[in-house]
C-alpha cells in the first residue's frame, strides 16, 4: 500500500507499479474518464505485519484542565487543500510521482466527503499529505519553535501517574494552545482548517455528532531516544472520538530519526506505521479501536494534536464527573476551577 500511483484521468484507480498499470490499461481504458480537477490525497497509511497485539491501555492521554471544550466546532472559511496525489498522464506509460505543494480546486468539503469519510469508515485511520502547503507549514513550525524556546513546555502527564516512572512511559514535552495567544496565529490557522474538515465530515463519521474539541496540544520529543509506550487515547468514554494530529518535521526519515507512530487497529493482524512527516495530517478513532505508540525519536519531533468530542459521550462523561460516578483514576475536568487535584 506504499507509494501508490493513480490513473491521471479518472484518479480513482491505484497501481503499485507502472508495469501493472500497463497490463490493466486495455480493460481500464474502457471505463476511464476525465474526472473533476480536484486531487485527492494518498491512500491509507502503510501497513506491515505485526508480531504482537498486546495492549498497554493503562497508559493513556490525560484529560487535563487545559483541554477545555470549545462551545462548538468553529465555522471557518474554506481554503483549498493542496494537490497531493501521484500525478499520471493519460498515457499509462508515463508516470510523474512528484507531489507538489500547490493548492488545487478541490474544496475542504470534497476532501472530507470523498476521501476522509470513506477512509475512516473503512480503516479507522486516514492520512492526508501536504495538507496546508510548504509556506503555511513553515509558518506553523516557526510558531511552535518560538513556543518551545519560551520554556513553557512541561512533561506529558498520565491518568495514573507515578512520579518515578512517567518519563519511562512518555518522553514528550507539551503545552496547550487555544489559538489566541500572541505568536500562535499560524497554529490558530491550522486549528481552523482542522475544524473545517471535521465540520464537513460531521454526521458522516460513524454515529458521532461532533460539537466541540480540545485546545491544541503542541508536543515535542527532544530527540534523545524517548517515545510513548502503547496506549489508548480514550479507553473509558471521556467524549473524545477523533484524534487529529499535524506533523511538522522536515526531511524526516524513520530509518535515521525513528519516531514512527505505530497504530495497532483492533481485530486486525497488521499495524500501520505513520512517519511524522512535515505537513502531514493524521486522523484516527480515539477509542480502543486504535491502540498506538510513538517509537523512540532520535531527532527533535514536533506534532500538534486536537481531539474532537462526540456530544452525547461528552455529556455522559461530564455527568459522571459531576456525580462522582466516574471510573477511578479518570479525570474529566470541565475547566480549571473544577480540577479536583
Amino acid at each position: 500500500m506504499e507509494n501508490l500511483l493513480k490513473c491521471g484521468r479518472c484518479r480513482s484507480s491505484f497501481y503499485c507499479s507502472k508495469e501493472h498499470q500497463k497490463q490493466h490499461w486495455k480493460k481500464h481504458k474502457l471505463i476511464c474518464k476525465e474526472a473533476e480537477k480536484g486531487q485527492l490525497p494518498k491512500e491509507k497509511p502503510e501497513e506491515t505485519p505485526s508480531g504482537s497485539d498486546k495492549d498497554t491501555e493503562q497508559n493513556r492521554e490525560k484529560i487535563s484542565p487545559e483541554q477545555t471544550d470549545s462551545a462548538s466546532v468553529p465555522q471557518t472559511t474554506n481554503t483549498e487543500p493542496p494537490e497531493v496525489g501521484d500525478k499520471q498522464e493519460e498515457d499509462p506509460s508515463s508516470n510523474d510521482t512528484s507531489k507538489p505543494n500547490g493548492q488545487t480546486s478541490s474544496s475542504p468539503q470534497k476532501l472530507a466527503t470523498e476521501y476522509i469519510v470513506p477512509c475512516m469508515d473503512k480503516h479507522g485511520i486516514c492520512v492526508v499529505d501536504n495538507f496546508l502547503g510548504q509556506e503555511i507549514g513553515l509558518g506553523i513550525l516557526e510558531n511552535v519553535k518560538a513556543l518551545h524556546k519560551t520554556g513553557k513546555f512541561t512533561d506529558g502527564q498520565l491518568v495514573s501517574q507515578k512520579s518515578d516512572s512517567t518519563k519511562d512511559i512518555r518522553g514528550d514535552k507539551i503545552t496547550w494552545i487555544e489559538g489566541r495567544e500572541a505568536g500562535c496565529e499560524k497554529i490558530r490557522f491550522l486549528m481552523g482548517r482542522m475544524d473545517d474538515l471535521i465540520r464537513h465530515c460531521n454526521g458522516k463519521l460513524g454515529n458521532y455528532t461532533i460539537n466541540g474539541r480540545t485546545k491544541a496540544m503542541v508536543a515535542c520529543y527532544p530527540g534523545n531516544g524517548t517515545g510513548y509506550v502503547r496506549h489508548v487515547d480514550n479507553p473509558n468514554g471521556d467524549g473524545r472520538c477523533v484524534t487529529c494530529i499535524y506533523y511538522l518535521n522536515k526531511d524526516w526519515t524513520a530509518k535515521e530519526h525513528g519516531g514512527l507512530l505505530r497504530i495497532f487497529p483492533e481485530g486486525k493482524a497488521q499495524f500501520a506505521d505513520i512517519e511524522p512527516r512535515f505537513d502531514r495530517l493524521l486522523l484516527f478513532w480515539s477509542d480502543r479501536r486504535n491502540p498506538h505508540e510513538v517509537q523512540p525519536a532520535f531527532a527533535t519531533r514536533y506534532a500538534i494534536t486536537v481531539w474532537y468530542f462526540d456530544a452525547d459521550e461528552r455529556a455522559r462523561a461530564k455527568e459522571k464527573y459531576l456525580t462522582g460516578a466516574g471510573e477511578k483514576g479518570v479525570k474529566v475536568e470541565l475547566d480549571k476551577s473544577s480540577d479536583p487535584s
Side-chain angles (χ1 to χ4, degrees):
M1 299 303 297
E2 187 174 356
N3 298 323
L4 295 182
L5 306 175
K6 292 181 182 178
C7 172
R9 290 181 67 195
C10 67
R11 306 194 67 80
S12 62
S13 290
F14 293 80
Y15 299 94
C16 62
S17 66
K18 295 179 183 179
E19 289 73 19
H20 285 177
Q21 185 189 16
K22 289 178 183 178
Q23 292 175 19
H24 189 236
W25 178 241
K26 287 184 179 180
K27 293 182 179 180
H28 179 62
K29 69 181 180 180
L30 301 176
I31 59 171
C32 184
K33 60 183 179 180
E34 192 73 36
E36 297 179 20
K37 292 183 180 180
Q39 308 293 336
L40 297 183
K42 182 180 172 183
E43 259 288 6
K44 69 173 183 175
E46 302 91 341
E47 294 185 354
T48 326
S50 169
S52 171
D53 198 32
K54 184 178 180 181
D55 195 2
T56 58
E57 293 177 358
Q58 67 270 23
N59 305 311
R60 75 242 347 183
E61 295 289 354
K62 178 182 180 181
I63 295 289
S64 79
E66 297 294 334
Q67 291 180 267
T68 53
D69 302 46
S70 63
S72 62
V73 177
Q75 301 294 307
T76 52
T77 56
N78 292 344
T79 57
E80 298 163 351
E83 176 184 347
V84 293
D86 293 320
K87 185 178 179 181
Q88 177 190 313
E89 301 300 329
E90 179 175 335
D91 179 358
S93 65
S94 172
N95 270 355
D96 176 9
T97 59
S98 63
K99 298 181 180 179
N101 280 313
Q103 299 289 323
T104 73
S105 60
S106 182
S107 67
Q109 183 175 6
K110 187 180 182 70
L111 177 66
T113 58
E114 296 189 10
Y115 176 65
I116 293 176
V117 169
C119 193
M120 288 291 286
D121 183 56
K122 184 175 182 180
H123 306 295
I125 305 167
C126 185
V127 173
V128 180
D129 280 325
N130 303 313
F131 178 52
L132 296 174
Q134 177 91 355
E135 183 177 352
I136 296 175
L138 288 174
I140 298 168
L141 180 58
E142 288 175 4
N143 278 186
V144 169
K145 286 183 175 180
L147 269 177
H148 197 195
K149 289 180 181 178
T150 65
K152 293 181 180 178
F153 282 59
T154 59
D155 290 340
Q157 302 297 306
L158 303 172
V159 172
S160 301
Q161 182 175 350
K162 298 179 181 178
S163 58
D164 60 344
S165 64
T166 298
K167 290 184 179 180
D168 295 331
I169 296 170
R170 61 180 296 183
D172 56 337
K173 304 279 187 177
I174 65 170
T175 190
W176 294 94
I177 297 298
E178 182 179 358
R180 299 182 183 276
E181 298 87 346
C184 296
E185 293 78 13
K186 297 298 184 181
I187 297 175
R188 182 180 181 181
F189 180 87
L190 166 67
M191 295 165 72
R193 293 302 162 262
M194 289 177 172
D195 291 344
D196 255 353
L197 287 183
I198 296 299
R199 178 164 53 87
H200 288 303
C201 291
N202 212 355
K204 304 179 182 71
L205 287 173
N207 296 318
Y208 297 121
T209 300
I210 297 174
N211 70 338
R213 58 161 166 77
T214 66
K215 293 180 181 181
M217 186 186 79
V218 184
C220 171
Y221 288 86
N224 57 359
T226 57
Y228 192 164
V229 301
R230 185 165 168 171
H231 64 282
V232 172
D233 285 354
N234 175 20
N236 295 308
D238 62 33
R240 290 177 291 172
C241 59
V242 175
T243 300
C244 194
I245 308 175
Y246 181 73
Y247 293 112
L248 289 156
N249 310 296
K250 294 286 290 182
D251 305 316
W252 191 276
T253 59
K255 288 184 179 180
E256 181 180 356
H257 305 121
L260 284 170
L261 181 73
R262 176 165 289 181
I263 304 178
F264 304 85
E266 184 182 49
K268 296 185 179 180
Q270 298 83 27
F271 52 72
D273 278 347
I274 294 93
E275 289 191 356
R277 297 178 187 172
F278 179 79
D279 201 27
R280 167 173 280 181
L281 184 71
L282 169 67
L283 303 94
F284 58 89
W285 303 128
S286 304
D287 60 19
R288 294 174 183 267
R289 285 173 287 182
N290 284 315
H292 54 283
E293 66 187 18
V294 177
Q295 297 187 343
F298 301 99
T300 304
R301 180 189 187 276
Y302 291 115
I304 299 176
T305 304
V306 170
W307 287 271
Y308 286 89
F309 290 119
D310 173 61
D312 291 340
E313 184 179 313
R314 186 62 173 167
R316 291 194 298 269
K318 287 182 177 181
E319 181 66 21
K320 281 184 179 182
Y321 175 75
L322 291 171
T323 60
E327 294 186 48
K328 185 178 179 181
V330 177
K331 295 169 64 179
V332 186
E333 286 86 355
L334 308 184
D335 52 45
K336 290 184 179 180
S337 62
S338 65
D339 183 11
S341 62

